[in-house]
Amino acid sequence: MSVNVLFIHVNLLAPLESPDTIPISEATILAHLIDHGFSGEILGDFANSPLKPGAMAEALRRVQPLAIGFTAYQENIEQIRLWARFAKKMSPAVKIVLGGPQVTFMPAEALRHMPEVDFLGRGEGEEVMLALAQALTEGPDVAQVPGLSFLQGDEVIETGPAYGAKHLDTYASPYLMDLIDLTGKERAVMLTSRGCSYDCAFCYTPRASRKRVRFYSIERIIDEMKHLKSKGIKAFWFADTNFSVSRSRLGALLEGIIKEVPGISFWCQTRYDLVDREWLSLLRRAGANNVAYGLESANPAVLERINKPIDLERLSEVIRLTQEAGIHVELFSMFGLPGETFDQALGTLAFVKKNRVAIDGNSISQQAHLFFGTPMNDNPEAYGIHPFRRTRPSYLSVCRDYETDTMSADEIRRMSLVWRLNRDDFSEDAHAGRNLFHRAAFITQHRGLLADRPEALCLLARIFLALEEYVAASECMRQLSEAFPEDPAVPELLHGPFVCFKVSQKTARPGFKVIYDCQGKVDGHVVPVTCGRFQEAILGQGTLLPEFEAHLLGTGSGAYARFDMIFPEGYGQEDLVGKVVTFRVHVHHTMEPVSVLSFEELGKLSLHNEYALEDMEGLRQHNINLYYRVLRESDVRGRPPQQMADCLMLMNLYLKLGFVDRAAAVARSVSNNPMTLTHAAHIFRMNAEPQRALDLLEKTGQNGPRKRLIRAQCLFDLNRLAESEAMVKDMELPNDMQLAALQVELAIRLCLPIETFLERQEALLDARSQAMLLDRAQ
């Protein structure tokens, strides 16, 4: 009997189009299995493309696997447990195998805390899964399979390590076998080696690889790239940590790419001390458009503590040379490192900025993680690291739950916020009017920890300007002028004039803003990418197609325009280039510019636009910024929303902007409706206002289970853990995931016995898997 193996690649942090969702590890194992007569397939569970329970059930029925393999990390292991439990309910005999970085050094006792898992696979996944498949097929005792941990009765069985092939070409290529679905992908992951020979204190790879580095042949790599290029992939991500471990080998690879796979681009990481102008020229000619260097910290003493010495002056020089070569630079960094102070962590951020490295991609820093197998996790006390007292299962490492001798938990949390605040996408969103409420909530809900950061007030001021909250914008600017006059970003922001807009009866001209709907057709068929509702654009800024904009000039509020135009090149819609597109445009409003010379005058501006837009559902779906402005103006004029959904949404948006008193006033307007007040309390709690939520709950006059749960959640948020525990300890809401999740978190934070935690975790998994079974049936 041939064993069918199903793999599930779980990555809830990445969207389908990201190369992070390419299951390169699982696919390489599957290729090795197929090469030895077995079969199987791979499913994906991703951020914007979740695996549906029905699809999973269908795969189990179709494949009938004897084993399901997962690659486990700290961030996905709970989701893996859920899928494993679901699979066991559908197919009780199936064997669940966990492998990957989180499992390599995970204590075998973890199996007692994951009853749905049958095996932990240690070491090289290809060797472990092949030997296990053979054992399941031929019947020998799985205890003879190297690289396994499992329970036999109540006894933990460890079969010893599984060492991989010396030459990686031993393993068949999943790309050449077309095992990986590349639909929606523009970039593919490439691996040229495995392992690491260095000794960084935060990394488990040297220990996992026994400090040896093994390689795929250059011929194999080139063949894969040529095959992928033939399928339309022209961008590559060399993901191995030692891409440049051998200068001669890398040179041969780059020359091979130049000769055999021209016209591609790639991302790679390399050691800065190998780089010179000649090397950068070769990288650039081969297609490198992104090169990442390891920084970790810009403090020499911290670098010494983690056993990663770096010549920071030399690194700065290499960054400059790389940028001059036309290659984008990324820097890996961390905070919360041994011996690092808050000011030293800020120094790393300053180093990145000083070297003009964009804070995006891999240059977005993160707290150091204590993972199984790292020296820092093995002996945290030796590094001045103090894990928090928590009840945690054996399958989870300390990860980020710690503070150090030199950084408190609050300082580590604050450093995380500062890095996020300085990300390029924060400022880009503020300038483009995207995600404004999400960005504002990040600032307002952490206002205390960000009080000394001018970036926070600058971003908030820009958000308020975009939402026509001129008084609030002026107040931010006043605070900036008084507290941070020397910060370079402040004079730039405060320098007037400021352009505001008022609803006008005049026809549109350059400098006017227009609010419009549009629809485009080609040969009578609607083209979705040309359609939009409640769009906003300022004429003359170059954001619209020139011919399209020309037809808006001279239109007035309420006007319709119909016109044909030939779609030009250079606007990202290659399928439309050269085609005649028939547009139909409805202009809702024209808005003329109003110039305000100073931020002080901005605070005195009495400009309140009354929009003639009645499709609130359409506004909510297509333009949340305009939807807010319409709701806000109605509220300002003493006409709170009549529809309860609009009323609750206005409260929610007010809270995200930090307008707590306004939200409370809207809540008071519905004080005679207990159900609405309960919803309002939930909204206040979700927007980091738990005490206000408790106050609203008191006004409902009722104490049903739903209100008790919200009250318990508020108490948890207020760190009144014992009170929250007393409220939910014996509460029963069958299959309620919110209640089960809160009970689990209380067990963790209150350090309740592990048995209590496991019982509650079982209830949470049961609730979630029950929901999946219902979803499958629908």
Side-chain angles (χ1 to χ4, degrees):
M1 179 181 67
S2 176
V3 173
N4 296 320
V5 180
L6 184 65
F7 292 93
I8 304 177
H9 185 57
V10 178
N11 188 337
L12 301 185
L13 301 178
L16 177 63
E17 58 271 17
S18 168
D20 281 334
T21 61
I22 292 176
I24 189 67
S25 298
E26 296 92 334
T28 304
I29 297 171
L30 179 57
H32 192 57
L33 288 170
I34 292 173
D35 210 32
H36 287 77
F38 298 98
S39 61
E41 65 180 69
I42 305 169
L43 300 178
D45 186 22
F46 309 128
N48 64 343
S49 182
L51 179 60
K52 303 295 186 184
M56 173 68 160
E58 169 59 21
L60 289 169
R61 183 198 64 76
R62 184 182 68 257
V63 178
Q64 296 187 11
L66 290 188
I68 301 177
F70 296 90
T71 300
Y73 298 86
Q74 186 93 357
E75 70 268 10
N76 72 358
I77 196 164
E78 297 295 357
Q79 183 75 358
I80 286 173
R81 288 196 65 197
L82 180 62
W83 281 120
R85 180 164 296 223
F86 179 81
K88 289 279 193 179
K89 286 181 180 291
M90 301 296 298
S91 181
V94 71
K95 302 300 183 183
I96 303 297
V97 188
L98 301 193
Q102 182 69 7
V103 172
T104 304
F105 302 106
M106 181 185 290
E109 289 298 312
L111 288 162
R112 303 188 193 279
H113 297 167
M114 297 186 291
E116 60 284 323
V117 174
D118 297 289
F119 301 106
L120 302 181
R122 321 281 201 173
E124 201 95 332
E126 291 84 359
E127 305 298 331
V128 175
M129 288 301 291
L130 176 59
L132 178 59
Q134 291 168 339
L136 293 174
T137 302
E138 300 164 7
D141 186 357
V142 292
Q144 304 304 311
V145 174
L148 287 184
S149 298
F150 60 94
L151 290 177
Q152 195 169 74
D154 198 44
E155 182 185 359
V156 173
I157 304 297
E158 297 262 24
T159 65
Y163 299 124
K166 182 177 180 181
H167 301 290
L168 294 181
D169 282 6
T170 301
Y171 305 133
S173 167
Y175 284 132
L176 297 178
M177 294 173 70
D178 288 325
L179 295 181
I180 297 176
D181 182 2
L182 295 170
T183 303
K185 302 288 194 302
E186 295 182 353
R187 185 166 56 159
V189 178
M190 297 295 299
L191 291 172
T192 72
S193 66
R194 294 184 190 180
C196 182
S197 58
Y198 297 100
D199 288 306
C200 300
F202 52 83
C203 186
Y204 49 71
T205 303
R207 182 176 169 190
S209 63
R210 296 183 296 150
K211 298 184 70 173
R212 62 176 180 158
V213 181
R214 295 167 295 144
F215 301 97
Y216 291 101
S217 69
I218 291 173
E219 293 75 18
R220 154 83 169 254
I221 299 163
I222 296 296
D223 284 346
E224 288 183 330
M225 294 180 72
K226 289 168 65 176
H227 182 74
L228 289 167
K229 187 181 178 184
S230 73
K231 292 179 169 294
I233 298 293
K234 295 182 179 180
F236 298 88
W237 170 27
F238 288 106
D240 43 321
T241 57
N242 278 282
F243 182 65
S244 62
V245 68
S246 167
R247 187 178 175 108
S248 61
R249 180 177 179 278
L250 180 56
L253 174 60
L254 295 175
E255 294 288 0
I257 291 172
I258 292 169
K259 180 180 178 181
E260 301 287 341
V261 205
I264 58 92
S265 63
F266 63 85
W267 179 102
C268 67
Q269 56 183 311
T270 182
R271 290 180 58 88
Y272 76 98
D273 51 0
L274 297 177
V275 172
D276 53 29
R277 290 184 188 275
E278 179 185 358
W279 204 237
L280 288 168
S281 175
L282 182 59
L283 280 166
R284 191 74 187 97
R285 285 190 292 118
N289 58 1
N290 280 272
V291 172
Y293 301 112
L295 168 64
E296 317 318 338
S297 171
N299 184 272
V302 174
L303 290 169
E304 186 176 350
R305 287 288 300 274
I306 61 174
N307 201 27
K308 186 167 184 178
I310 292 176
D311 182 338
L312 294 168
E313 289 187 9
R314 170 67 178 146
L315 176 57
S316 290
E317 173 68 8
V318 167
I319 292 169
R320 182 182 65 80
L321 292 174
T322 308
Q323 293 166 337
E324 288 177 355
I327 302 174
H328 181 78
V329 173
E330 295 182 343
L331 293 174
F332 294 108
S333 67
M334 293 183 283
F335 53 88
L337 289 164
E340 181 183 58
T341 66
F342 182 80
D343 286 342
Q344 289 169 343
L346 283 177
T348 301
L349 174 60
F351 180 91
V352 174
K353 287 185 168 184
K354 179 181 177 182
N355 285 280
R356 300 188 303 280
V357 174
I359 301 177
D360 59 14
N362 292 291
S363 298
I364 299 170
S365 190
Q366 62 178 342
Q367 182 185 345
H369 291 35
L370 270 62
F371 286 137
F372 295 129
T374 65
M376 285 178 5
N377 184 79
D378 291 345
N379 190 4
E381 293 78 11
Y383 291 92
I385 296 173
H386 309 291
F388 300 145
R389 287 189 67 247
R390 296 282 190 267
T391 296
R392 65 172 61 86
S394 296
Y395 57 81
L396 293 181
S397 66
V398 171
C399 197
R400 292 169 296 187
D401 287 344
Y402 69 86
E403 57 186 3
T404 72
D405 287 340
T406 49
M407 283 184 78
S408 67
D410 280 347
E411 287 177 319
I412 291 175
R413 172 64 175 152
R414 188 171 162 225
M415 197 65 237
S416 173
L417 298 174
V418 171
W419 269 101
R420 289 175 62 190
L421 186 63
N422 279 274
R423 282 167 39 167
D424 283 13
D425 57 348
F426 269 57
S427 57
E428 289 167 1
D429 281 355
H431 282 284
R434 296 186 301 260
N435 302 317
L436 296 185
F437 294 97
H438 176 68
R439 302 307 189 195
F442 172 81
I443 297 169
T444 60
Q445 292 174 16
H446 301 104
R447 197 186 295 267
L449 290 173
L450 295 173
D452 65 343
R453 304 304 304 179
E455 313 98 301
L457 282 173
C458 286
L459 277 172
L460 207 52
R462 294 188 188 281
I463 291 169
F464 288 150
L465 284 171
L467 296 174
E468 299 181 6
E469 289 287 355
Y470 300 125
V471 174
S474 177
E475 175 58 22
C476 285
M477 294 180 195
R478 183 194 64 77
Q479 294 178 37
L480 283 165
S481 68
E482 293 178 357
F484 308 104
E486 304 301 322
D487 188 277
V490 172
E492 178 186 350
L493 175 65
L494 300 187
H495 181 68
F498 303 95
V499 179
C500 309
F501 293 91
K502 68 176 181 179
V503 171
S504 174
Q505 295 306 309
K506 298 178 182 178
T507 57
R509 64 194 71 173
F512 274 49
K513 180 188 285 188
V514 290
I515 300 171
Y516 64 95
D517 298 340
C518 65
Q519 181 188 79
K521 293 184 178 180
V522 174
D523 297 330
H525 299 287
V526 174
V527 181
V529 295
T530 68
C531 301
R533 294 205 63 201
F534 301 111
Q535 303 292 295
E536 295 184 82
I538 300 173
L539 302 182
Q541 285 196 340
T543 58
L544 298 175
L545 294 170
E547 190 175 349
F548 183 95
E549 181 172 304
H551 285 281
L552 295 184
L553 293 171
T555 59
S557 297
Y560 288 85
R562 181 186 174 91
F563 53 89
D564 293 340
M565 58 172 282
I566 297 176
F567 205 92
E569 295 182 356
Y571 287 87
Q573 302 298 332
E574 298 302 318
D575 292 343
L576 294 179
V577 172
K579 294 183 178 179
V580 176
V581 181
T582 300
F583 278 101
R584 183 177 184 273
V585 180
H586 175 213
V587 177
H588 293 285
H589 283 295
T590 62
M591 304 181 72
E592 64 180 294
V594 176
S595 183
V596 181
L597 295 178
S598 68
F599 74 84
E600 291 91 350
E601 290 183 29
L602 193 65
K604 302 172 185 176
L605 184 66
S606 57
L607 177 57
H608 297 287
N609 287 311
E610 188 158 9
Y611 297 93
L613 302 168
E614 297 181 354
D615 182 6
M616 302 304 288
E617 178 62 28
L619 279 168
R620 183 163 58 245
Q621 289 183 16
H622 299 284
N623 189 333
I624 191 70
N625 299 343
L626 185 55
Y627 171 68
Y628 168 76
R629 283 160 24 210
V630 171
L631 285 179
R632 188 274 317 277
E633 287 308 318
S634 177
D635 188 41
V636 166
R637 296 171 191 276
R639 301 193 299 269
Q642 297 300 309
Q643 296 296 320
M644 199 51 62
D646 292 333
C647 186
L648 293 171
M649 182 60 82
L650 181 57
M651 273 187 252
N652 184 40
L653 298 178
Y654 273 155
L655 288 167
K656 292 187 184 308
L657 296 176
F659 301 149
V660 179
D661 290 340
R662 290 197 211 175
V666 176
R668 286 194 294 272
S669 71
V670 296
S671 59
N672 60 340
N673 187 324
M675 181 177 295
T676 304
L677 275 178
T678 301
H679 287 306
H682 174 70
I683 290 170
F684 271 78
R685 185 238 158 197
M686 293 301 293
N687 282 284
E689 291 290 337
Q691 187 56 58
R692 296 259 191 168
L694 286 174
D695 295 341
L696 287 173
L697 288 172
E698 291 299 321
K699 296 178 181 179
T700 63
Q702 300 178 22
N703 194 32
R706 182 58 51 189
K707 293 182 180 64
R708 288 179 61 204
L709 175 56
I710 297 174
R711 186 175 287 111
Q713 290 170 324
C714 291
L715 293 171
F716 181 90
D717 294 343
L718 291 166
N719 207 32
R720 293 159 61 179
L721 303 181
E723 294 175 72
S724 182
E725 169 68 13
M727 188 165 290
V728 302
K729 182 177 181 180
D730 298 317
M731 186 185 296
E732 293 186 9
L733 286 171
N735 292 323
D736 188 284
M737 284 181 276
Q738 287 190 44
L739 173 60
L742 177 59
Q743 289 172 329
V744 168
E745 286 301 314
L746 284 165
I748 294 170
R749 292 280 297 278
L750 289 169
C751 299
L752 300 181
I754 187 65
E755 293 77 15
T756 302
F757 167 86
L758 293 174
E759 180 182 340
R760 293 182 177 188
Q761 186 76 347
E762 289 289 306
L764 176 58
L765 285 169
D766 281 342
R768 293 182 66 192
S769 59
Q770 183 63 32
M772 291 169 67
L773 289 169
L774 292 173
D775 186 21
R776 174 189 65 88
Q778 292 176 356

